[in-house]
Amino acid sequence: MKKSIFLFPSLLALCVTACAGVKQYEPKDYMLDLNVTHTGDIRVLQLTDTHIGDKDNVPLHEKFMDLTINEAKANGGLDLIVITGDVFTFASKSTAKQFLDWVDSHEIPWTLTFGNHDEQCWFSIDWLTDVLNNYGPRCLFLDKQDDTIQGNANFAINCYKNNTLFEQFILMDSNRYNYKGYFGYDYFKQDQIDWYSRLVEHTKVMNSNTVLPSLMFYHIPLPEVRDAWEAAKNDSSLILNPVGEGQQNEEPCNPDYNSHFYDVIKEKGSTHGMYFGHDHINNYIINYDGIHFGYGIKATDRVYADDSMLGGRVIVIHDDHSLDYEDIYHTYQEVK
Ligand SMILES: [Fe+2]
């Protein structure tokens, strides 16, 4: 007993030290609202792998992306723009801020998540997270930097349509590199998977005890993207690209380690579409087991790209939550 009494203050002190500055939050603390007041489809533009950096002709890339954004708007308006990671590479703070201001200048709600390259800049991911957390009202970004959840972009956007909760957009940070068990791309950690489960359960309670349909946006594809491609090779009707055939021009660079997030996603029954980037010259959308796996269309020609596979994709969400896609392609010849 004496020993316990002696140990208790030591353990308490250790815990206080280890836990200093770390907080536990409820699922509702990770939620933002997007209020849509029109009837009809919800339209979300996915841009990916912009890789904006200091050495670039940034105005040229912005002019190029304007082609995609303007076409998406002209096709039926836009309710949200999502950039699915690798937003910056070797960018300074001023370049990053200028780019975010350019995104915001379109006067459309926007958000982003991080890729593996976003930390390779003249600023830290924490600095960028802080900028985004404190940006203006059209920037729908929320990360709790003092929580226990791995990553810097785990949050949800609740899309209300004429004041009724309609669909949830879940942004997650697929992390960067793994130097421990193996060298390669990192994976969703167990605390993120648990966070997702709590989020879906909490949202179900908010939605009169009915699971709310959700779409997920992250950067590095789950390992199951390979299974999806294999399934589509045997059944081309699973490929949903509206233009062309949906291409895999490089092997998916998914994590070697499978943390089985996909099993939880299936079990929870909320997410019916997942959209990512990372592999620049893949652009397919596959209906795999009822969940759409969608590689984005690369938004700029930075780092490596197929010049005929640049632009963006509009995800169209109908009233019954069924999904359609508008693949938009442009070339730099149009802006040079
Ligand atoms: Fe990339």
Side-chain angles (χ1 to χ4, degrees), residues 49 51 86 117 219 278 280:
D49 292 81
H51 285 278
D86 281 3
H117 285 289
H219 182 71
H278 188 53
H280 297 181

Side-chain angles (χ1 to χ4, degrees), residues 215-231:
L215 303 179
M216 284 181 71
F217 298 88
Y218 50 85
H219 182 71
I220 301 173
L222 294 175
E224 285 77 7
V225 75
R226 290 171 178 267
D227 302 329
W229 180 247
E230 286 304 312

Side-chain angles (χ1 to χ4, degrees), residues 48-51 84-87 89 115-117 185 219 277-280 298 302-304:
T48 197
D49 292 81
T50 43
H51 285 278
T84 47
D86 281 3
V87 184
T89 307
N116 48 294
H117 285 289
Y185 294 107
H219 182 71
H278 188 53
D279 299 312
H280 297 181
K298 194 174 181 328
R302 284 276 292 121
V303 180
Y304 74 98

Side-chain angles (χ1 to χ4, degrees), residues 126-143:
D126 284 339
W127 175 83
L128 183 56
T129 301
D130 195 49
V131 168
L132 291 161
N133 271 339
N134 293 288
Y135 207 90
R138 282 190 295 264
C139 173
L140 300 179
F141 183 96
L142 189 166
D143 182 74

Side-chain angles (χ1 to χ4, degrees), residues 34 36 42-46 77-82 108-111 138-140 157 159 169 171 217 313-315:
L34 172 64
V36 176
I42 300 293
R43 296 169 55 84
V44 178
L45 174 64
Q46 181 197 8
L78 280 178
D79 298 299
L80 183 68
I81 297 172
V82 183
I108 296 163
W110 58 276
T111 189
R138 282 190 295 264
C139 173
L140 300 179
I157 299 170
C159 178
F169 305 127
L171 280 289
F217 298 88
R313 173 176 295 130
V314 180
I315 302 158

